[in-house]
Amino acid sequence: MSTGSSINNNANNSAAGPSRTEPVQDATAGSYVELHCISNFSFLRGASHPEELVSRAAKLGYRALAITDECSLAGIVRAHTAARACQLKLIIGSEFVLAEGTRLLLLAPDLAAYRQISALISRARLRSPKGQYHIELADFLREEPRYLTIWLIDDNTNNEPIAQQLRTSFAHNLWMGIALSRQAGEQQRYLRCYQIASRYRIPMTACGNVHMHLATRKPLLDVLTAIRRNTTIGQLGRALQANAELHLRPGPQLAKLYPPALIQTANAIAERCHFRLDSLRYQYPDEVVPPGRSAGSFLRELTLAGAKQRWPEGTSASVQALLEKELTLIAELRYEHYFLTVYDIVQFARSQKILCQGRGSAANSAVCYCLFITEVDPARSQLLFERFISRERDEPPDIDVDFEHERREEVIQYIYRKYGRQRAALAATVISYRPRSAVRDVGKALGLDQSVLDKLAKSLSWWSKPEQLQQLLGQTGIAGVSAQLFLQLLEEILGFPRHLSQHVGGFIISSEAISQLVPLENAAMDNRTVIQWDKTDLESLGLMKIDILALGMLSAIRKSLSYIPAANSADNSYDNTHDTTENDGTEARRLQLQDIPAEDPATYTMLCQADTIGVFQIESRAQMSMLPRLRPQTFYDLVIQIAIIRPGPIQGGMVHPFLRRRQGLESVNYASEQLREVLARTLGVPIFQEQVIQLAMVAAGFSGGEADQLRRAMASWGKNGRLDLFRDKLVNGMLARGYTLDFAERLFSQMKGFGAYGFPESHSASFALLAYASSWLKCHHPGAFYCGLLNSQPMGFYAPAQLVQDATRHGVMVLPVCVNNSDWDHQLTAGNSLRLGFRLLKGLYRSTAVRLRALRADRPFQSMADLLARVQLDRGERNVLVRADAFRCFDSHRYQSQWQISAVEEYRPLLATAETLDDGIELAPPREVDDIRWDYSYSGLTLRRHPMALLRDQPAFRRCVKATQLSTLKPGSLLQIAGLVTCRQRPGSASGVLFITLEDETGYANIIVWKNRQQSYRQAIISGRLLLIRGALQRSDTLPGLSPEQQTPVIHVVASVIEDMTAAMPLKTSSHDFH
Amino acid sequence: MWWLCIRFPGLMLDSLGLQAHCQPSAIMERQTVQQVNAAAAAQGVAGGQSITTALSLCPQLEAIPRQRQAEQQLLQQAALWSYRFSPLVSIDTEQATLYTELRGSLRLFKGFNRLYHYYSQAFARRNIQFCSGLAYTPSAAYLLSYAPEPPAFYRRSAGELDRQRILQQLKRLPVTRLPCKTQIIRTLQSSGIKQLGPLFSLPEAALGKRFGADFCQLIAYLKGTQQELRAPYQPAETFFSRHQFNGTLDSKQQLQRPMQMLLAELKIYLRLRQCINHGLHWQLYYSDGGEDTLLVHSSHRVFQQRALMELSRLKLDSFTLRANVESISLRCDQFESSIASSDNLFALVSGSKAGTEREENYRLVLDKLRTRLKHCYTLSEKNHLLPEKAWGAVDAQAPRPTTLPLSPISTRPLWLLHEPKAISGQHHKLYWKGPLQLLQGPERIDNEWWQRRQARDYYVARHQSGTLYWVYKDQLNHRWFVHGLFA
């Protein structure tokens, strides 16, 4: 061991204090390998990202670096990707603390050892609740160890028996790891270890116990320790790291610290490790292929059979060529099993009448269309198969399928049933520190007062941004060095993984046990396991996965369709009195998704009038204000409409040029013929991700692979500076091809704006199908449409109250909840009227609704006493029904019903007789306004007059115009308008403008609140449920070439004064408050 | 009976002295605003809002968790104070109310007006918000505390209560004020019964069937058809009282009056419980959030306010105020029965008054001496990484700390210098009263980054005399220091 003998010598030795300017070593100078290094995936222990560790080790000239997180391989894919980029040898391993207290480090020399380590982690994790593990020495001895074992000796215990046991168990694959970090008493400790190692013939190796890539992370390391121990740094005492030595230190420094033999041994261990993570491959299950068949021929057969169904009159030559091209590529890349597995899952869903539809890049595939995985017809769209699978990219396909949100669990359970929990697992989502959690945890560790942290964390909500934190800190009295320190720690910890959660639906399914590929662990949800890698990790390693996603609109559409008789059905009545989720044979007579006619003019006319409440994707305020301007006339217009109202195209400044060109106000010029090919379908404006990729290829000479890297960089722009790396290449490439600098710069800035928020065309097309289907339903079968939508709540943008208001405006007669007529679900009854169901009432169980229906089947309830005598209801349920006015069929008003029902004795409800209920007291009926208030309180909506209709007579509201009157006013008119707030939005793309939507008895009014008004009326904006606005009318210009009847101007009221009038009628209404 | 109800609508704030705070403040419970002070109300913050809404409305809002114990203490103090006027005192923590039966005290205190004046003055002086009601039962008085009329309104000139007026006022009140289960109120409201008037007109049988006998009894109390008894106030097991000042005090002299007042409260408390205290636990609360405690030991057998004040003053003399004082509290939690101690005392000094006084004076002198004595300390290992902080003085009487992680003291000297001494280097050698030779090290310490970072490399060094020193190089200023000597 090195001890100081002169000042110089020691002064030089001790120069590695926490300094931001540590010397980077010449790559040839060090021959050190680090065998023990944890990343921040050892949650709240490691203080550096795996990428940071790898890149620092490469800079220091390390020969190899092992990432050895505690009972976890969660960070190794990131480390692997980084190591591949900087050509550092990465060793994969993991650290364990055994139940007996011994600490072991396992390293994987080859694939077999890797599989053993992965299986051990899975075993240890699956035994314990989420986030914990349990493993004993016996677990390591179940099979011959292929891994290399390093004993991380603890000096405080009796090590003799442990040494004996480990020596016996691991024989010649055992080393003793020695970490030297200039701690007190280190020399004595080393000597004791040396004695044990000699006695038991266990070779010693250098093993740095690295926790961070730079010494400057020491403060963060201490903060993490404090968070983990739920205390403050001031209270940690000796639990703090004494110094900052647990970082990646330069080789020469380590050479002075460790005896050479220990470093040589570490090198020798590293030499034995050859395993590379990218050698991992896995096969999708075989059982999807019938015995005796090859996967390729089976896939071809299914595809061609599907093509016949899709195009009964025969496939066009171009489609045939497309199918052939895809099948050849799939066979070449051996993806057949993957397609067949997805096909099997989708088939299961269809057999169960669960509506599903693939989206994302898979919708670019004709094979997926023929397998009924996706619905975008390649004969009608311009698909870019390369966006889905490309030979050059050598990246596995990723198929996302949406299922009905209420029935997705059935699909998940099918997968588990078919493949078993050993072979099917959900991908993880890494939950990372976000501003609010970071403020709370770091602040607590620094010992800041809880109330101050509450204030700070809560202030980071609604429309405050994290950047305002410094200002907020100042307001709470934290300034100077403390504030700097706090901010620096926050900056460092942001993005640090905190724990693993389950991905919304990303499944991997394997032909062998997944635990040998990647460790499994328990999720928080019962009976759910997740793998330790997330979606990005799987992508980086080129592993296939399928996203089983939930979509509310699919439930709604399936339900709506099931209420509508098919044209050729004998029964032509709307009806959903049967529960159509049960297979009772009634569906055969009902409409199917494919029965919806394409390109229906009436539907497009409705869309041009922005009549889209409840319609998929185009029901938001922004979409609705764009519809009359864009005036969709074809399906492709709808694809554009969905893709263009996204933060990406909005921030990229694509919306207005597109609109002007579409309206013929601006000519479309193409800088070259190649650009015309790419951009002609969107009038020269890039709207889809695919177009940006194609542009880079044709205009700047990017290869397919480079263009794809560009797409990825676009997706993560803002998180790192990778997109800027492409700037020069793009601009220079375009200049070389004769484009102007101005044009090239404009294109690049559009790409930046696109960021993560641009849609691929195929994805937009998949969504457009659902948007079209729901629009058609709304246009032609509004009763069925609203019934399906209301029966799928909660979903979508609008609350039931707003949907019912809109349904009524579309001529649907909505009938109230009634004990003698309602079911659990809302029903469509004869005459296209919609009877509200018990599901609207909070506090009433579905089973009660079913009992009510069964007991009234023979004979309707005659009176309240009759009902109570026949149906056993508890007090809560009785009150829910009475307060929702469900007894009105007995000619009893709400107050009288409540008075009578409250006489039922709780313990003898069945003895309720007419006499018990009626004690001769007659109460006065409620006023209309009271009835409305009760309606909102207990069923969330009213079928009586709109609250605004009642308020019109009050002096404060007399001068208010109605929403429908806005279209008759001139632009610039000063006006007053009042209504219930249904929506408050402050989109990031609207530079601080706040949008409010008000509802009155005639419809909706769109209010714009500029930034300078928001502060003055902050209180009314945030908490008002009923607002009165004074402002000026703003109306869009008339569109050229349209008759006055066809014009649907977009009208806004620009608010100058906002008054909170909630007190005039306090109602329990709900609104959507988005960022 | 004449029940005076004093209701404290701002009890949550008042118990923490926040009502008149200029900083917008809100009391929170379960993430919901419960009470707000005027400064917060002015910015739109109101009870029932979520903390997110409240902070959106008023970003500088100070959100303070509700402290039920402080509320209970304030009510206890009020009850103790009220006890001087009547033996029938009762408190209700849920309703934040104090009830006192005053009929029997009217003559002694020369009429209701004068008595009520004492109450209104006492609470106004302490900046405590209150509302009051006067009626024949506590329940009726409680509801009338919500009515706009002052208590005197319900008095007839003949000195009797005006039952008609009381009933009339009660009937106008909303049912939401009824002190009963929320479920009953919701049922009444959803039956359209919104005020007490219509409720009073319903037959008792119909009400009983629906809401039970307790509710009927409540109505009877309100109508005055039944006498109502409340559980009498019982002093708490521990005496605690806190005095919040108007503004802050900056001299010890100014503290003496509030201390006197607190001792007077203690006196009433002790009389009620018939016991005598052991010691006084004074707590000073500074405006900067800090606190100081003054423990006054007393071994008296007879409560003498003057003597206790003198002891407290002595204690205060040897003490320096660290900042302006916002409030002061007195706590006593050790007592013995004054009857038992009197018996002992009689046995000791044969019952003579002079003997009792002598004994008490003797005890007082002893207490004074103890008050003047300084603390004793022992050295103890502390949970700290920095050598100079790893040992420290601990009160000899304080409990010793529980087990600490093993300290790596084998390489550290037991004798640390009071302050590290700077040493010089000449010709690349270290000199401290002669040349030093480094033998072993370094042990590296890099810590305290959150206050004043300390980065040191420690070495064992040998002096030419053979003495082993513990020296370190400060990594921040590159200077050398000697820090300890090995035995």
Side-chain angles (χ1 to χ4, degrees), chain A residues 2-8 10-19 156 181-188 218-220 222-223 233-245 253 436 440 446 451 454-456 458-459 461-462 472 475 481 485 489 875 879 883 894-896 898-905 915-919 921 923-924 927 930 934 938 1018-1020 1022-1023, chain B residues 23-24 31 41-45 49 51-53 55-65 183 185-194 199 202-203 205-207 209-211 381-385 390-391 404-412 424-431 437-451 453-455 457 459-460 473 475-476 480:
Chain A
S2 146
T3 56
S5 55
S6 75
I7 301 173
N8 277 344
N10 282 289
N12 289 338
N13 271 353
S14 56
S19 138
N156 289 330
S181 53
R182 306 215 185 266
Q183 304 275 342
E186 202 162 61
Q187 196 173 22
Q188 291 88 332
K218 164 79 164 51
L220 184 62
D222 288 339
V223 163
I233 42 165
Q235 299 290 317
L236 274 176
R238 293 186 198 144
L240 283 166
Q241 283 300 330
N243 56 39
E245 292 297 287
Q253 211 180 90
R436 196 180 289 192
R440 277 195 190 288
L446 291 179
S451 59
D454 275 344
K455 198 154 132 183
L456 278 175
K458 299 282 179 191
S459 303
S461 62
W462 238 81
L472 286 168
Q475 284 171 9
V481 181
L485 197 61
L489 286 164
R875 188 209 301 263
N879 281 337
R883 286 169 189 171
R894 204 174 224 145
Y895 287 170
Q896 194 66 29
Q898 174 73 70
W899 182 249
Q900 290 194 358
I901 213 163
S902 59
V904 179
E905 289 177 72
E915 293 73 38
T916 323
L917 301 183
D918 185 6
D919 37 22
I921 296 168
L923 297 177
R927 296 174 305 159
D930 291 328
W934 290 117
Y938 291 102
R1018 194 176 164 87
Q1019 187 182 338
I1022 292 173
S1023 54
Chain B
Q23 159 92 5
Q31 301 292 307
Q43 301 214 32
V45 183
Q49 287 170 345
I51 186 162
T52 315
T53 308
L55 285 171
S56 305
L57 292 168
C58 175
Q60 66 275 31
L61 183 74
E62 196 176 353
I64 298 145
Q183 201 181 346
I185 291 173
R186 282 178 70 185
T187 304
L188 288 171
Q189 284 182 309
S190 42
S191 303
I193 300 162
K194 292 171 185 167
L199 178 66
L202 290 170
L207 291 175
K209 188 158 70 176
R210 287 168 175 81
F211 310 121
E381 201 176 353
K382 288 190 165 178
N383 186 13
H384 211 284
L385 281 166
W391 295 93
L404 285 174
L406 271 179
S407 61
I409 53 168
S410 52
T411 51
R412 290 189 180 179
S424 58
Q426 290 177 14
H427 310 297
H428 303 297
K429 298 272 183 196
L430 289 175
Y431 279 88
Q437 184 195 359
L438 296 182
L439 295 181
Q440 187 183 317
E443 174 194 340
R444 183 163 291 170
I445 290 178
D446 186 346
N447 228 303
E448 308 256 299
W449 48 266
W450 60 93
Q451 27 193 293
R453 188 177 152 206
Q454 300 294 333
D457 274 3
Y459 298 85
V460 179
K473 181 182 181 190
Q475 294 293 333
L476 302 177
W480 286 83

Side-chain angles (χ1 to χ4, degrees), chain A residues 828-987:
Chain A
L828 211 52
T829 59
N832 198 18
S833 49
L834 196 162
R835 167 71 67 181
L836 294 178
F838 293 121
R839 64 184 296 150
L840 204 59
L841 313 184
K842 274 184 204 150
L844 196 81
Y845 294 110
R846 186 179 192 140
S847 55
T848 309
V850 172
R851 267 191 298 132
L852 264 172
R853 181 183 151 159
L855 288 166
R856 73 174 188 228
D858 299 335
R859 178 168 54 95
F861 302 118
Q862 302 299 312
S863 65
M864 196 185 291
D866 178 35
L867 184 143
L868 294 175
R870 284 159 63 191
V871 192
Q872 194 160 4
L873 300 171
D874 65 28
R875 188 209 301 263
E877 291 174 322
R878 290 197 299 271
N879 281 337
V880 168
L881 287 171
V882 83
R883 286 169 189 171
D885 210 9
F887 289 111
R888 67 171 87 172
C889 54
F890 303 134
D891 234 7
S892 168
H893 62 77
R894 204 174 224 145
Y895 287 170
Q896 194 66 29
S897 303
Q898 174 73 70
W899 182 249
Q900 290 194 358
I901 213 163
S902 59
V904 179
E905 289 177 72
E906 190 54 35
Y907 51 93
R908 291 190 302 177
L910 290 177
L911 294 178
T913 60
E915 293 73 38
T916 323
L917 301 183
D918 185 6
D919 37 22
I921 296 168
E922 283 290 332
L923 297 177
R927 296 174 305 159
E928 186 183 11
V929 60
D930 291 328
D931 254 333
I932 291 174
R933 287 177 60 185
W934 290 117
D935 285 344
Y936 274 104
S937 293
Y938 291 102
S939 47
L941 56 87
T942 186
L943 299 179
R944 296 170 222 272
R945 284 197 294 165
H946 192 280
M948 272 311 299
L950 266 72
L951 292 172
R952 295 269 172 223
D953 292 338
Q954 291 192 9
F957 298 94
R958 268 187 205 140
R959 295 181 59 201
C960 287
V961 297
K962 295 176 183 171
T964 44
Q965 291 173 326
L966 291 177
S967 60
T968 62
L969 300 177
K970 288 181 182 158
S973 307
L974 297 178
L975 59 95
Q976 282 184 27
I977 188 160
L980 299 177
V981 177
T982 60
C983 175
R984 284 174 258 245
Q985 276 187 302
R986 198 168 184 269

Side-chain angles (χ1 to χ4, degrees), chain A residues 501-568:
Chain A
S501 177
Q502 63 181 55
H503 185 258
V504 285
F507 259 96
I508 62 169
I509 306 169
S510 162
S511 61
E512 57 183 357
I514 286 177
S515 62
Q516 300 209 341
L517 181 78
V518 47
L520 288 167
E521 61 178 63
N522 287 319
M525 196 172 160
D526 278 349
N527 292 324
R528 282 281 159 87
T529 46
V530 295
I531 61 169
Q532 287 189 333
W533 293 341
D534 74 357
K535 197 178 154 184
T536 324
D537 295 337
L538 292 172
E539 266 174 26
S540 309
L541 285 183
L543 299 179
M544 288 176 280
K545 72 166 184 19
I546 165 172
D547 271 353
I548 308 289
L549 302 170
L551 192 62
M553 185 46 82
L554 283 173
S555 305
I557 290 178
R558 203 250 312 142
K559 288 180 182 182
S560 298
L561 287 169
S562 72
Y563 310 147
I564 305 168
N568 56 0

Side-chain angles (χ1 to χ4, degrees), chain A residues 185-212:
Chain A
E186 202 162 61
Q187 196 173 22
Q188 291 88 332
R189 183 173 168 268
Y190 178 81
L191 288 172
R192 284 194 294 274
C193 292
Y194 178 77
Q195 282 161 3
I196 292 178
S198 310
R199 195 172 306 147
Y200 293 93
R201 298 189 312 283
I202 304 172
M204 293 168 85
T205 177
C207 213
N209 192 22
V210 170
H211 280 56
M212 51 199 172

